[in-house]
Amino acid sequence: MNAIDRCTSCIMPPYLLEHLMDSADTTTRSAIMDTLLVTEQLRGARNAHPTVGVFAAPAQGSRSVFDAHNREDLWAATLVRTEDSSASTDPSVDNAFDGLGTTRSFFRNVLGRDSIDGHGMRLDAFVHFGRRYANAFWDGRQMVFGDGDGRIFDDLTGSLDIIGHELSHGVTEHTAGLVYHNQPGALNESMSDVFGSVVKQWSRNETAEVADWLIGGDVFTPAFAGDALRSLKAPGSAYDTPLFGKDPQPDHMSRFVVLPDTRAGDWGGVHINSGIPNRAFHLTAVGIGGNAWEAPVHIWYESLRASNSHTDFREFAETTGAIAARLFGTGSKEQQVVMESWDAVGVSLGGRSAPPDHESVDTLDALHAQLERLSADIRDLTTVVRALDPAHT
């Protein structure tokens, strides 16, 4: 993701923030205005706290938590907890620290991935960001949590699936690099929802059948029970109130929402249309049975690794079918369930019979660049030949 895209991968969708701007509640409207203004400022530039060595050397996923003191300038934040310090007296600090650790352990112990980048990248988090900031985001280097406004959101460090969701944007960035626009962007959001939900299930030892499959349910609208930002099990049902309107997520391609590729259009509906692949994963997990962090999440993770920056729903669906065949055998229950799950959401798999080899296949962008370089080399060689032999044609 580029500098702009990193600012847009917030847990609170822009369309929901803008809808809340019409609230008759002046306190809510004021808090949402503050959140929108800060998010827009972040879109223009990052005042990121320096993270020395984050890209230079492995750090075994070491965690650091900073207190932003309700300011929007991360440079002024104070380091309050590290791997070498004891628990804090601040629940936000400890929630963030523990959430980073649980997510790190999930990727390491379940998927064999060493931190976000696969090479021990350190994990930094900032809590108490801004005043009544009703959002949380991963900016490409660190996690940032607002305290919420107490009505729309409680303290966002209180949701493990949100922490898992945001950190998973980093995993996607360091694997397929799915662009944050249209179908690839919706797939990007879906991967974060999938990993965020499964991290929570893994931490609770919940089977796919009993899990709630909700994102943000622990901190979204604290005065109301049973609602959430999104539902992987039943997209479109996460909330339905006069304050928020109705959850707009589709659960089938026949209800795919076409939106402009702008901030107001949710970058082509990345938070909206993610409901389609979300439901495909839920159906896969329940159809296979048992724990979602076993066969289902391995199929999705390996498919993400085999994807490229512009992979769309159909291409990803084909890859999951092929990966299921490679991992569990052609015609296996796992492959059959994957194919049926995508078919149930209106994405039919094609005839690909073998999974792409993520160790050797370049992304489309890299292939295009390679072809351009080859063409340039041929043009240069032709020029040299003609210079040496003007009669040559």
Side-chain angles (χ1 to χ4, degrees):
M1 289 185 286
N2 59 35
I4 293 176
D5 290 338
R6 287 170 179 166
C7 309
T8 61
S9 58
C10 298
I11 195 65
M12 175 74 98
Y15 60 81
L16 191 53
L17 286 169
E18 293 184 2
H19 182 84
L20 290 170
M21 283 298 297
D22 296 329
S23 171
D25 187 319
T26 56
T27 302
T28 294
R29 194 165 62 248
S30 175
I32 295 305
M33 174 63 80
D34 290 344
T35 299
L36 278 170
L37 288 174
V38 172
T39 302
E40 195 60 33
Q41 291 168 2
L42 291 169
R43 202 179 310 281
R46 289 244 70 88
N47 288 326
H49 192 286
T51 50
V52 179
V54 67
F55 298 117
Q60 292 76 51
S62 296
R63 296 165 290 174
S64 298
V65 179
F66 300 81
D67 187 345
H69 304 293
N70 297 118
R71 299 174 62 179
E72 296 158 16
D73 182 4
L74 298 184
W75 287 92
T78 303
L79 178 63
V80 289
R81 188 168 181 191
T82 68
E83 298 286 356
D84 298 323
S85 61
S86 57
S88 166
T89 57
D90 184 341
S92 298
V93 171
D94 293 334
N95 285 340
F97 190 81
D98 293 342
L100 295 179
T102 299
T103 304
R104 176 188 63 185
S105 295
F106 168 80
F107 279 106
R108 177 182 294 166
N109 298 336
V110 175
L111 296 174
R113 185 177 186 86
D114 187 7
S115 192
I116 299 307
D117 65 346
H119 300 288
M121 179 179 178
R122 59 183 284 180
L123 302 176
D124 291 337
F126 293 78
V127 300
H128 304 309
F129 175 77
R131 187 175 66 91
R132 298 184 303 173
Y133 186 66
N135 228 327
F137 59 87
W138 163 263
D139 76 347
R141 296 201 302 177
Q142 57 237 340
M143 272 294 306
V144 180
F145 299 95
D147 289 333
D149 66 326
R151 297 187 179 191
I152 307 306
F153 268 123
D154 258 345
D155 178 1
L156 280 96
T157 64
S159 175
L160 177 59
D161 45 73
I162 285 180
I163 295 174
H165 171 105
E166 291 300 326
L167 289 177
S168 295
H169 278 302
V171 173
T172 295
E173 182 178 3
H174 285 281
T175 50
L178 291 162
V179 296
Y180 206 67
H181 304 273
N182 303 311
Q183 281 197 26
L187 190 56
N188 189 319
E189 275 296 322
S190 176
M191 293 304 307
S192 281
D193 279 351
V194 164
F195 287 136
S197 181
V198 177
V199 165
K200 181 172 69 174
Q201 293 174 37
W202 178 72
S203 72
R204 296 177 176 180
N205 197 29
E206 293 177 336
T207 65
E209 190 65 40
V210 304
D212 64 22
W213 294 97
L214 298 175
I215 299 296
D218 295 333
V219 297
F220 186 61
T221 59
F224 302 94
D227 62 355
L229 278 172
R230 290 181 291 280
S231 168
L232 285 78
K233 180 178 181 178
S237 70
Y239 57 85
D240 185 3
T241 68
L243 181 59
F244 304 109
K246 188 178 187 307
D247 176 5
Q249 280 205 313
D251 61 357
H252 193 275
M253 283 300 292
S254 63
R255 290 176 284 281
F256 184 90
V257 181
V258 178
L259 291 170
D261 188 10
T262 63
R263 183 184 64 80
D266 188 33
W267 308 110
V270 298
H271 289 93
I272 296 176
N273 292 314
S274 57
I276 296 170
N278 276 358
R279 183 165 181 255
F281 180 80
H282 169 264
L283 291 173
T284 295
V286 173
I288 292 175
N291 300 318
W293 62 85
E294 294 174 350
V297 86
H298 281 274
I299 294 170
W300 252 244
Y301 175 65
E302 292 302 324
S303 297
L304 177 67
R305 295 178 67 203
S307 298
N308 63 64
S309 60
H310 291 88
T311 295
D312 61 19
F313 291 177
R314 181 184 177 87
E315 291 168 332
F316 187 77
E318 290 175 345
T319 303
T320 60
I323 291 290
R326 189 180 75 185
L327 294 178
F328 301 101
T330 301
S332 62
K333 173 185 176 180
E334 290 80 2
Q335 186 193 31
Q336 191 64 35
V337 168
V338 166
M339 296 173 67
E340 291 172 352
S341 297
W342 284 110
D343 187 64
V345 300
V347 181
S348 298
L349 286 104
R352 181 186 291 178
S353 58
D357 182 357
H358 57 259
E359 300 294 339
S360 61
V361 178
D362 294 325
T363 64
L364 289 178
D365 289 342
L367 288 173
H368 291 162
Q370 197 171 32
L371 288 173
E372 289 175 1
R373 289 194 298 269
L374 181 59
S375 297
D377 290 342
I378 292 173
R379 288 195 297 270
D380 291 343
L381 180 61
T382 300
T383 300
V384 171
V385 170
R386 287 176 175 170
L388 293 174
D389 183 8
H392 179 81
T393 58

